[in-house]
Amino acid sequence: SSGFEAAEIGWPYAEPPEALARAAREAGLRVVLINTPPGDREKGENGLGAVPGRQAAFREGLEQAVLYAKALDCSRIHLMAGRVPKGADRAAVRSEMEIVFLENLRHAAEVLAQENLVGLLEPINTRITDPRYFLDTPQQAAAILQKVGRPNLQLQMDLFHWQIMDGNLTGNVREFLPIVGHVQVAQVPGRGEPDSPGELNFSYLFQLLEDEGYTGFVGCEYQPRGDTAEGLSWLRSYWEMRGRPQAGQ
């Protein structure tokens, strides 16, 4: 009703896929991104891709994600890396976790290719949001993607996380955009709307994405400070500035 043409569903698994697909059709929305299951949230899991000893659970979750993606006609799945085990030293387990992640990603790439789907890796900041998350910088994610070497695995660029971990957004956008398959936005540090007080100049960043040739979706993964629809004034202003009265890519 606010003009969007597409939506993300982080974890859709509480609802039957057919019900979600019907709701999306009725709303006139495309579903463009879902995540793999988080694992056991009660035990503190937040993804399983790089977690030693959880390979079988990751693969089961991947099959479930593919089932939902096909039902929703959703072409992208965020392959969640997961957290460094509690009590473990990040540096001590990094090599082992990367080996597990590479193994799982090669498997995922084959499974996804059979269904013409794309897998995404998202670095999540470890300074504010998730201190134990394994994958936390674009450089780390890009290096892993290079080692796997599969064209249907790409980078998910959440500018909120990238700013917190590394800054240098102009340089990083230009360097990594060729392997980016999806973009998400939120202001830093409060994770509010792009026009809320904070560090990021989204007029500049949106123009940068356009100038660099990005034509994919931008997900508004922020926490509204008040009413969601009222908080979209920044987007209506952007559409008017671009001469686009309707939502676009």
Side-chain angles (χ1 to χ4, degrees):
S1 63
S2 295
F4 287 92
E5 296 175 353
E8 306 175 14
I9 308 175
W11 290 310
Y13 307 106
E15 302 289 339
E18 298 80 10
L20 287 172
R22 183 169 58 251
R25 284 194 302 271
E26 290 172 354
L29 285 169
R30 294 171 58 189
V31 177
V32 297
L33 178 68
I34 62 173
N35 297 340
T36 50
D40 191 336
R41 297 301 299 275
E42 291 185 1
K43 293 183 178 179
E45 291 182 328
N46 192 30
L48 300 171
V51 180
R54 296 288 275 152
Q55 290 93 323
F58 171 80
R59 295 183 183 203
E60 290 174 12
L62 177 67
E63 297 293 340
Q64 186 182 22
V66 168
L67 183 98
Y68 272 75
K70 289 170 63 178
L72 294 167
D73 196 23
C74 171
S75 63
R76 292 172 181 82
I77 299 174
H78 168 206
L79 306 170
M80 298 194 69
R83 291 170 169 159
V84 172
K86 286 182 180 178
D89 177 73
R90 176 181 292 272
V93 299
R94 183 183 179 109
S95 178
E96 179 189 5
M97 292 188 72
E98 181 172 305
I99 289 170
V100 170
F101 204 21
L102 291 171
E103 176 187 306
N104 280 332
L105 290 174
R106 292 187 181 106
H107 170 78
E110 293 181 9
V111 171
L112 296 174
Q114 293 172 10
E115 304 294 346
N116 199 29
L117 298 172
V118 171
L120 299 173
L121 303 193
E122 180 188 15
I124 294 176
N125 83 80
T126 49
R127 291 194 168 124
I128 297 175
T129 302
D130 194 338
R132 290 194 294 114
Y133 204 75
F134 172 70
L135 194 69
D136 64 352
T137 68
Q139 291 82 4
Q140 181 192 9
I144 287 172
L145 286 172
Q146 187 172 23
K147 289 177 183 178
V148 178
R150 303 296 171 87
N152 66 329
L153 298 185
Q154 299 175 354
L155 191 56
Q156 183 168 317
M157 179 170 69
D158 188 324
L159 293 171
F160 172 79
H161 296 305
W162 287 31
Q163 168 68 4
I164 291 169
M165 289 305 296
D166 195 58
N168 188 33
L169 288 182
T170 299
N172 284 336
V173 167
R174 287 176 174 159
E175 179 178 357
F176 296 116
L177 198 62
I179 59 170
V180 166
H182 191 74
V183 173
Q184 294 171 326
V185 297
Q187 187 55 272
V188 177
R191 210 168 191 177
E193 293 93 338
D195 65 344
S196 60
E199 301 173 11
L200 299 183
N201 179 348
F202 276 100
S203 295
Y204 171 81
L205 290 168
F206 289 147
Q207 188 63 53
L208 176 66
L209 288 171
E210 197 162 320
D211 290 346
E212 294 297 315
Y214 182 70
T215 58
F217 286 95
V218 175
C220 303
E221 195 185 11
Y222 60 74
Q223 297 159 351
R225 293 170 295 168
D227 179 78
T228 300
E230 289 178 5
L232 290 169
S233 58
W234 67 271
L235 184 56
R236 288 188 286 271
S237 298
Y238 177 75
W239 287 341
E240 291 170 5
M241 181 181 68
R242 308 303 300 172
R244 297 174 185 172
Q246 298 296 319
Q249 287 191 348

